[in-house]
Amino acid sequence: MKKRLKPDLYLNTVHELDTAALKTKGIRAMIVDIDNTLVSWDTKEPDEKINELICRLGSEGFKICILSNNSKKRVEEFNRHLNLPAIHKAVKPSKTAFRKAMNIMDSNPENTAVIGDQLFTDVLGGNRLGLYTVLVPPICKKEFIWTRFMRLIERIVLNKVL
Ligand SMILES: [Mg+2]
């Protein structure tokens, strides 16, 4: 059985996404986290590199849906120019929003990847539905106490499953 807290793939940043390899695996849709995955949690808008990445992924035929546990305001502001399908207050790792994202993209667990920085929301949520899960290290060090605490737990768990 697949370990629920083990990502299928680790990358140093989202910019390392190998689209050819993903296509070989049959991936054609991506559920993407914002905070500390695409930009640091306190960065309001995507930077130029992120804009280029999203644009390239789209032109290579990938469908993308933003899935964030953050507020409507945060997600809408970030997504203003990207105009991607986006779900706020997703309550990851709850399955509901992951299913909704796949519905929007007309994709399924076999052809959808999840990209995020947190084991207990992004990876766990994706693994619960059998999606292809990609973990990146969080971009920003300045974090809320609770998130910092969860990082510590994540490191302990990662050391055990790897
Ligand atoms: Mg995040």
Side-chain angles (χ1 to χ4, degrees), residues 38-108:
L38 294 180
V39 295
S40 63
W41 66 268
D42 55 352
T43 303
K44 292 203 185 320
E45 295 197 5
D47 58 37
E48 203 44 49
K49 267 185 92 179
I50 291 297
N51 282 329
E52 281 168 17
L53 174 69
I54 300 291
C55 191
R56 181 168 64 86
L57 292 174
S59 68
E60 288 189 28
F62 289 96
K63 290 184 178 171
I64 302 168
C65 182
I66 286 174
L67 191 62
S68 173
N69 281 354
N70 212 327
S71 68
K72 182 171 191 236
K73 181 175 180 288
R74 161 46 158 173
V75 174
E76 282 183 351
E77 203 168 10
F78 181 84
N79 193 31
R80 200 152 40 125
H81 300 295
L82 293 175
N83 273 316
L84 294 167
I87 299 168
H88 59 269
K89 292 213 172 98
V91 205
K92 294 177 279 187
S94 149
K95 294 176 187 172
T96 312
F98 286 89
R99 288 204 182 103
K100 193 173 160 195
M102 286 190 281
N103 260 333
I104 290 171
M105 298 188 287
D106 193 24
S107 71
N108 57 54

Side-chain angles (χ1 to χ4, degrees), residues 83-145:
N83 273 316
L84 294 167
I87 299 168
H88 59 269
K89 292 213 172 98
V91 205
K92 294 177 279 187
S94 149
K95 294 176 187 172
T96 312
F98 286 89
R99 288 204 182 103
K100 193 173 160 195
M102 286 190 281
N103 260 333
I104 290 171
M105 298 188 287
D106 193 24
S107 71
N108 57 54
E110 286 73 43
N111 63 22
T112 307
V114 178
I115 298 129
D117 69 304
Q118 290 199 58
L119 272 185
F120 288 105
T121 57
D122 308 301
V123 171
L124 178 59
N127 282 347
R128 289 178 76 196
L129 289 169
L131 279 67
Y132 185 73
T133 48
V134 182
L135 184 71
V136 295
I139 289 172
C140 189
K141 295 271 178 276
K142 282 187 290 169
E143 289 174 299
F144 297 110
I145 299 291

